[in-house]
Amino acid sequence: MAELLGSNGLGSMNDVPEDLLDEIKRLEEMFIVEKPKLKEITNHFVDELAKGLSVKGGSIPMNPTWVMTRPTGYETGTFLALDMGGTNLRVCEIILPEEKGEFDIIQSKYRMPEELKTGKADELWEYVADCLQQFIEYHHEDEKLDTLPLGFTFSYPATQNYIDHGILQRWTKGFDIEGVEGHDVVEQFEAALASRDLPIKLTALINDTTGTLIASAYTDDTMRIGCIFGTGCNAAYMEDYGSIPKLADMKLPADMPMAINCEWGAFDNEHKVLPLTPYDVIIDKESPRPGQQAFEKMIAGLYLGELFRLVLVDLHHKKGCTFFHGQDISKLEKAYTLDSSFLSLIEEDPFENLSETHDLFIHKLGITAKKPELELCRRLAELIGTRAARLSACGVAAICTKKNYESCHVGADGSVFNKYPHFKQRGAVALREILDWPKDLKPDPIDIRAAEDGSGVGAAIIAALTLKRIKEGNLAGVRNTGGLPSGKP
């Protein structure tokens, strides 16, 4: 049974009792996603991407971003970028020099106070404006500044009829601030800026995934897709206007590009093809928004630790299964007490006796696990991590199939992609299976690699691209062209 441990062959299942071996086999049957299933998911994904672009729409929002050109790498100027994440607020000043694909960045981070996340709208925007004011005063003390164009990375689902406008559809990442959902966040943000008389003009409101696509394409001509695999998951790519029926009334040229922010965490909310386990069903049912973000709940970092926890609690309480027998599992019984980093540490344990995993359970959960129990935990972490990587490849394969990309680079960012052991390699294996590449085809024609800084540099480049197209007379999707800065140093 030694091969059960998977990727590094550590440990042996010889000392695992029969009841736990049966459980491991049951978990493998639940969590392993075979090639035919990957293909079925991908085919459905292609259909759902198209449906999201249609007039009727579908589960995947496929939001047009009004980013209508790919970067050349020769964009120039000085820009501000504001990145409002779940934990920090980041303010950046980015200089794009004349050298192709180069940039210089100055940045400051400000902690996002927890009480703001459930406070009132004006408190949020006053805090954001305060941080911008501090940044300007610190880095440009006593300087007379021309108005600086700002790219604002607002990574929450928003409806954008214009690039300088965005109506929040719903809060995510633990935010629940009243008076923002259903409203234009740009108007609220600009009102807070106006009261301080800051030399800043919001030029573009973007999503971090769109920023990831554009920042990566700025430094790499073969980049075609931007992805986030972190606390949440998402992708963005350039679509042709002629393939976006829901924008037909704009009467733009059919070959005009438009970056689409997929918001693909909502794929298969109808639960038609995703291989849900009973534990996935519990996660969905007990989440703040049941029936939404079905894909995200199977592959995003926020949920991987919770899946793992639910399985362990179930095994402990299961009749006929001696798992953590006689142990106090009260800490383990607390929902969302584990995140994906817990699984990462288990998969990274280099010792055959899994001593690091043993210590991890003692320190984090107060549980002294026996060696066979640790073997099961190791295998379970591998199963959950591998399933996440393989399912994520279905989304990439679907966009490549829809766009007929036979070879390209995909820029990926996020804590799961960057830090989870073997995530990139497992995803690459799945992509090879889905797209039926010959075994001897090397290197991989579609290569998922680390992305550039989407929420900082990407926002600045999008601001530059927006100013450039306005100057060229393309005002599609721009609401406010008055008083726009040049972006030049």
Side-chain angles (χ1 to χ4, degrees):
M1 295 293 288
E3 76 277 12
L4 280 175
L5 262 174
S7 53
N8 50 24
L10 289 170
S12 162
M13 292 286 176
N14 295 337
D15 52 354
V16 177
E18 203 62 41
D19 62 334
L20 291 191
L21 282 177
D22 288 345
E23 291 303 329
I24 288 170
K25 189 164 183 295
R26 182 181 70 89
L27 291 168
E28 287 181 331
E29 286 168 0
M30 250 187 230
F31 282 98
I32 289 173
V33 188
E34 301 285 4
K35 177 176 174 177
K37 187 63 175 173
L38 291 177
K39 284 173 165 274
E40 181 194 354
I41 293 166
T42 302
N43 290 337
H44 187 57
F45 218 130
V46 174
D47 294 341
E48 290 296 301
L49 293 172
K51 195 187 285 184
L53 295 170
S54 70
V55 175
K56 189 179 175 187
S59 288
I60 308 178
M62 301 297 279
N63 295 327
T65 64
W66 305 101
V67 176
M68 300 174 74
T69 42
R70 286 177 55 83
T72 62
Y74 291 107
E75 290 73 20
T76 58
T78 302
F79 303 87
L80 290 179
L82 174 66
D83 174 17
M84 195 174 116
T87 311
N88 295 313
L89 188 74
R90 185 167 62 121
V91 181
C92 314
E93 182 176 309
I94 290 134
I95 297 168
L96 306 178
E98 291 184 358
E99 294 81 13
K100 185 176 194 288
E102 296 292 321
F103 58 85
D104 297 309
I105 183 167
I106 306 165
Q107 58 185 325
S108 299
K109 279 187 179 174
Y110 306 89
R111 192 93 188 143
M112 187 66 86
E114 282 301 315
E115 61 272 16
L116 272 189
K117 295 183 182 180
T118 51
K120 293 190 168 62
D122 57 349
E123 294 167 347
L124 169 71
W125 301 118
E126 289 297 322
Y127 180 75
V128 171
D130 279 344
C131 294
L132 276 165
Q133 186 164 5
Q134 280 181 45
F135 182 88
I136 295 279
E137 287 172 355
Y138 181 78
H139 292 289
H140 296 284
E141 194 179 0
D142 300 327
E143 285 181 49
K144 180 78 178 92
L145 290 177
D146 290 333
T147 301
L148 289 166
L150 172 83
F152 182 3
T153 302
F154 184 76
S155 299
Y156 306 87
T159 303
Q160 281 192 272
N161 298 323
Y162 307 94
I163 196 163
D164 50 351
H165 151 103
I167 293 170
L168 178 66
Q169 294 166 354
R170 64 184 181 279
W171 282 116
T172 56
K173 301 178 191 174
F175 279 77
D176 192 13
I177 300 168
E178 63 180 76
V180 189
E181 288 185 353
H183 295 273
D184 181 5
V185 297
V186 174
E187 277 182 14
Q188 297 185 353
F189 169 68
E190 285 182 332
L193 280 188
S195 66
R196 286 168 174 71
D197 197 27
L198 293 170
I200 295 169
K201 173 67 180 167
L202 186 138
T203 307
L205 183 77
I206 74 153
N207 180 279
D208 58 349
T209 318
T210 313
T212 296
L213 167 67
I214 298 299
S216 302
Y218 176 74
T219 60
D220 179 349
D221 293 336
T222 61
M223 197 64 69
R224 292 292 176 269
I225 303 169
C227 296
I228 303 286
F229 301 115
T231 310
C233 69
N234 197 9
Y237 73 103
M238 300 301 283
E239 188 54 90
D240 298 321
Y241 171 77
S243 299
I244 314 174
K246 64 183 176 184
L247 293 183
D249 59 351
M250 296 289 297
K251 298 190 169 42
L252 296 169
D255 60 352
M256 181 168 278
M258 170 79 78
I260 297 292
N261 165 29
C262 300
E263 293 291 353
W264 73 10
F267 167 66
D268 201 31
N269 281 348
E270 306 81 6
H271 298 159
K272 285 183 179 173
V273 294
L274 288 173
L276 295 168
T277 68
Y279 308 107
D280 295 300
V281 172
I282 293 168
I283 280 186
D284 182 49
K285 198 169 77 181
E286 296 182 356
S287 70
R289 297 175 192 263
Q292 293 185 20
Q293 302 299 96
F295 188 54
E296 183 164 281
K297 285 169 182 167
M298 296 180 81
I299 71 172
L302 181 63
Y303 303 102
L304 301 184
E306 180 64 2
L307 262 176
F308 182 81
R309 186 194 72 80
L310 285 170
V311 175
L312 298 192
V313 171
D314 183 42
L315 291 175
H316 176 74
H317 292 301
K318 194 170 187 180
K319 282 184 181 164
C321 177
T322 50
F323 190 76
F324 294 160
H325 184 63
Q327 297 285 322
D328 174 8
I329 70 156
S330 54
K331 285 185 180 174
L332 184 66
E333 291 199 293
K334 188 179 172 207
Y336 289 92
T337 197
L338 305 178
D339 61 17
S340 59
S341 65
F342 191 86
L343 277 67
S344 296
L345 290 168
I346 293 172
E347 286 220 51
E348 283 172 338
D349 188 342
F351 298 107
E352 189 161 341
N353 66 357
L354 300 175
S355 57
E356 288 187 357
T357 307
H358 179 268
D359 295 347
L360 183 66
F361 271 87
I362 291 173
H363 295 310
K364 178 84 178 169
L365 298 167
I367 291 171
T368 305
K370 300 188 183 80
K371 174 78 182 330
E373 294 166 342
L374 295 172
E375 297 283 9
L376 182 145
C377 290
R378 169 66 162 249
R379 182 60 181 142
L380 176 60
E382 282 180 354
L383 288 169
I384 290 171
T386 301
R387 186 186 74 164
R390 286 173 71 78
L391 289 176
S392 69
C394 294
V396 174
I399 292 177
C400 291
T401 302
K402 184 182 187 311
K403 295 296 294 176
N404 295 315
Y405 294 149
E406 291 186 0
S407 69
C408 68
H409 289 162
V410 176
D413 203 355
S415 53
V416 173
F417 181 81
N418 292 324
K419 295 179 182 171
Y420 197 96
H422 320 300
F423 187 88
K424 183 179 188 297
Q425 297 91 319
R426 289 164 175 170
V429 168
L431 209 52
R432 183 168 277 275
E433 289 176 33
I434 297 164
L435 298 172
D436 288 318
W437 294 333
K439 279 194 169 60
D440 57 353
L441 184 63
K442 293 282 185 335
D444 290 355
I446 295 165
D447 182 13
I448 307 176
R449 49 178 59 197
E452 292 291 347
D453 167 23
S455 51
V457 176
I461 295 163
I462 289 170
L465 293 172
T466 304
L467 290 174
K468 183 167 178 263
R469 76 174 172 88
I470 288 168
K471 278 184 200 136
E472 291 168 353
N474 179 358
L475 305 181
V478 181
R479 183 179 59 174
N480 183 3
T481 58
L484 278 173
S486 69
K488 292 295 176 195

